Amino acid sequence: MRLSIDVTLDYNIDDSAEILLQVEAAAMVDQHLEHQDMRVFSADPIRAVPGEDAIGQRTWARGTGHFRVEYNAIVAIDRASIDFAELPATPLWQLPGDAVPYLMPSRYCESDRFEGFVHAEFGDLTGGALAAAIGKWVQGNLTYKSGSSAGETTALRTFADRRGVCRDYAHLVVALARAGGIPARCVAAYAPGVDPPDFHAVAEVWLDGGWHLIDATGMAACGDLARVAVGRDATDIAFMTVFGTAWMNHQKVVVKRLD
């Protein structure tokens, strides 16, 4: 699978602000960057720093007045589809150190509030069987509705409202998985067929020695996703974090299959 990615961010910045960008697809074993180019229209220099867990990179920029970013890439994805429902659970004491933080509650994924529900709803399921059941439950019990949530919406609120957008689906999958003893993280990604076209958010769970993607919205298969960044929740994977005030003029995300 090869994806063509075309992104434009066009904003006005009140006065001046530091901006942290995460829009570049990550170079990883299962996704190869055949081409990429990012242009930040700013009078100030930009600076790249590693992303969370050394996946991808963040770019620091300064915006003053009109601020524009253009990014395009071609990404080749070579990722086998795995039925992770058959994968065993990893005993917690055998988890690698970098997976342990993804067992813990975070700002948008209050996993400690879901432990009773996970036990009651999913019984004795563990490992891949539990992760698959969680993904199926979230897909079957939430309604995708643009504009139904806000920047402060957490997994607990999404659970109560039973609706949301992709980040809300990802937050709820992550919170439920962590409540069931499975390390889980949020992933910012590009995917074709996302409606409306936008940056996409999915979940990733640690099973049997590796990370496995789950898109509970049902809009993308694991082989169609190009990861941008990973993290505890939306705090870590936002495509643009403005330390100040910004107003959107225009934003475009176009992702197409090339073969």
Side-chain angles (χ1 to χ4, degrees), residues 132-206:
I134 287 171
K136 184 177 180 179
W137 188 93
V138 172
Q139 184 171 3
N141 286 274
L142 263 58
T143 298
Y144 192 98
K145 186 175 181 181
S146 298
S148 60
S149 63
E152 66 274 11
T153 302
T154 69
L156 195 62
R157 179 62 182 268
T158 299
F159 180 79
D161 290 347
R162 293 292 203 269
R163 64 181 183 270
V165 294
C166 60
R167 67 167 250 166
D168 304 307
Y169 280 69
H171 281 159
L172 188 52
V173 170
V174 165
L176 294 175
R178 291 177 187 171
I182 301 173
R185 64 191 186 186
C186 289
V187 180
Y190 293 113
V194 172
D195 185 21
D198 204 347
F199 296 97
H200 198 40
V202 299
E204 204 166 32
V205 293
W206 176 270

Side-chain angles (χ1 to χ4, degrees), residues 13-101:
I13 309 296
D14 280 359
D15 298 322
S16 178
E18 305 288 347
I19 300 170
L20 188 59
L21 299 165
Q22 287 191 118
V23 299
E24 298 166 88
M28 303 180 69
V29 171
D30 57 359
Q31 56 186 58
H32 171 68
L33 304 181
E34 294 185 359
H35 160 80
Q36 75 165 347
D37 179 61
M38 184 170 76
R39 300 182 182 187
V40 179
F41 295 83
S42 171
D44 295 287
I46 62 175
R47 175 173 172 259
V49 295
E52 196 79 12
D53 290 352
I55 293 175
Q57 70 176 19
R58 298 180 169 108
T59 299
W60 280 107
R62 177 184 290 276
T64 302
H66 186 217
F67 180 76
R68 183 178 176 89
V69 177
E70 296 175 358
Y71 173 73
N72 59 79
I74 296 176
V75 183
I77 300 171
D78 183 14
R79 184 181 305 125
S81 179
I82 297 175
D83 182 9
F84 57 80
E86 303 297 325
L87 297 179
T90 301
L92 299 185
W93 64 275
Q94 291 184 0
L95 289 173
D98 57 2
V100 172

Side-chain angles (χ1 to χ4, degrees), residues 83-132:
D83 182 9
F84 57 80
E86 303 297 325
L87 297 179
T90 301
L92 299 185
W93 64 275
Q94 291 184 0
L95 289 173
D98 57 2
V100 172
Y102 296 112
L103 279 173
M104 311 303 178
S106 60
R107 177 180 177 183
Y108 293 105
C109 301
E110 315 99 319
S111 51
D112 53 325
R113 304 289 299 274
F114 288 101
E115 291 173 359
F117 171 78
V118 169
H119 178 73
E121 181 69 24
F122 303 109
D124 295 328
L125 292 179
T126 61
L130 175 58

